[in-house]
Amino acid sequence: MSITLKTPEEIEKMRIAGQLAGEVLDYITPFVKTGISTEELDRLCHDYMVDIQGCIPAPLNYAPPGYKPYPKSICTSINHQVCHGVPGDKLLKNGDIVNLDITVIKNGYHGDTSRMFQLGETSIQAKRLCELTFECLWLGIMQVRPGGHLGDIGNAIQKHAESSGCSVVREFCGHGIGAKFHEDPQVVHYGQRGTGVEIKTGMIFTIEPMINAGKAGIRELADGWTIVTKDHSLSAQWEHTILVTETGFEVLTMSAASRLKPDWIK
Ligand code: MF3
Ligand code: CO
Ligand code: CO
């Protein structure tokens, strides 16, 4: 595969898909309460995407090489689950943290975004990890400009995570996105400044750091999808889809209820 620079027409479609993905998260937010199952969240999001938005939920039956088709419409990753958590009958409970990851397809183009949610009273460590990971996302985004390198993004994220004693998951990364769910380039969340692919105007890719409170190691569950931390430590993730503009970036997955960039990040 190769990295495509999007045309103005494609960019407009990606703006729409990104906005819709963000709006699914806005819609589901009031339902993310203790006592609801992740299966119910999946059903609500599925029906909203299909019936209200006229979108296709990209995860449903998604089957990259070596994977069996993903069985649900969203990913719900709880506590020590890193990513690709499969919705099921387990109920969310007080103290849980959960990532909801939404990818929609609208008019053939993808929008991909995820947020963390905290259920009731969470531990100080859980709060800190969710906050730190959100900061990592924005530190990464702020590195995006034509002429920069993907290593600038990874380096900003890695430095912030590791300086707080947390670790960056290596096996999963951000990705180019457009008419396909996962395109080149891979956007890893660690690395050295000035290394890696040069960032160019018209690229669209996700930044989606997965940060563990403990060690970086992960393993896959027997369902063939759910990824968990090897040491069972908590893991958090936030994701946006980013367009590279002539002056820097545009976040395509912002919606009304998106959290804004922390003020201290310049
Ligand atoms: N949304 C995830 C990402 O950010 C990918 C999920 S693939 C699925 O890349 F099949 F698990 F949905
Ligand atoms: Co993604
Ligand atoms: Co995603």
Side-chain angles (χ1 to χ4, degrees):
M1 235 202 295
S2 61
I3 303 172
T4 65
L5 302 180
K6 269 64 180 177
T7 65
E9 293 72 27
E10 289 181 297
I11 289 169
E12 199 40 49
K13 288 181 185 154
M14 289 296 287
R15 280 199 181 97
I16 291 165
Q19 169 92 40
L20 288 164
E23 285 173 0
V24 178
L25 288 171
D26 293 359
Y27 160 75
I28 201 64
T29 296
F31 296 100
V32 188
K33 292 277 141 62
T34 59
I36 196 166
S37 69
T38 49
E39 225 158 43
E40 182 69 2
L41 294 174
D42 176 73
R43 189 187 63 76
L44 287 163
C45 288
H46 173 276
D47 290 355
Y48 188 76
M49 289 184 262
V50 172
D51 299 335
I52 307 292
Q53 295 184 321
C55 288
I56 299 168
L60 190 58
N61 297 315
Y62 182 61
Y67 286 82
K68 54 184 180 186
Y70 188 78
K72 297 288 182 181
S73 296
I74 69 171
C75 298
T76 56
S77 305
I78 306 172
N79 295 335
H80 70 293
Q81 296 178 347
V82 173
C83 62
H84 305 167
V86 180
D89 55 13
K90 230 179 104 168
L91 305 183
L92 295 178
K93 61 178 195 306
N94 186 51
D96 283 347
I97 59 172
V98 61
N99 174 277
L100 302 188
D101 193 342
I102 305 294
T103 312
V104 303
I105 309 172
K106 181 72 170 182
N107 295 323
Y109 285 82
H110 292 72
D112 188 6
T113 183
S114 81
R115 298 179 193 159
M116 293 303 296
F117 296 83
Q118 303 193 37
L119 282 294
E121 289 134 52
T122 51
S123 67
I124 288 169
Q125 191 198 41
K127 286 194 186 80
R128 211 176 124 251
L129 178 67
C130 292
E131 215 47 39
L132 177 82
T133 307
F134 183 70
E135 293 165 0
C136 283
L137 169 64
W138 271 101
L139 285 164
I141 292 172
M142 291 301 280
Q143 293 297 323
V144 176
R145 56 172 183 85
H149 292 80
L150 292 183
D152 305 348
I153 300 170
N155 183 253
I157 292 169
Q158 181 180 14
K159 275 195 318 206
H160 192 55
E162 292 181 355
S163 71
S164 297
C166 293
S167 60
V168 177
V169 171
R170 306 285 170 137
E171 291 83 352
F172 297 90
C173 56
H175 48 92
I177 182 167
K180 297 207 194 84
F181 195 160
H182 294 103
E183 302 181 354
D184 282 343
Q186 296 199 30
V187 182
V188 301
H189 303 110
Y190 56 88
Q192 298 304 317
R193 287 196 64 80
T195 67
V197 167
E198 187 185 327
I199 299 171
K200 296 203 165 83
T201 304
M203 285 183 179
I204 299 181
F205 51 77
T206 72
I207 302 177
E208 48 181 300
M210 283 145 275
I211 307 297
N212 298 347
K215 297 207 178 89
I218 54 138
R219 65 188 180 81
E220 187 182 284
L221 296 189
D223 64 13
W225 277 104
T226 309
I227 304 296
V228 299
T229 56
K230 228 180 230 168
D231 64 6
H232 258 242
S233 64
L234 289 177
S235 187
Q237 178 177 32
W238 293 78
E239 174 176 26
H240 271 310
T241 299
I242 310 294
L243 163 69
V244 183
T245 64
E246 265 159 42
T247 52
F249 63 84
E250 180 181 328
V251 181
L252 300 182
T253 37
M254 278 291 192
S255 56
S258 289
R259 276 184 67 184
L260 300 178
K261 173 178 73 65
D263 277 329
W264 64 267
I265 298 177
K266 304 288 180 202

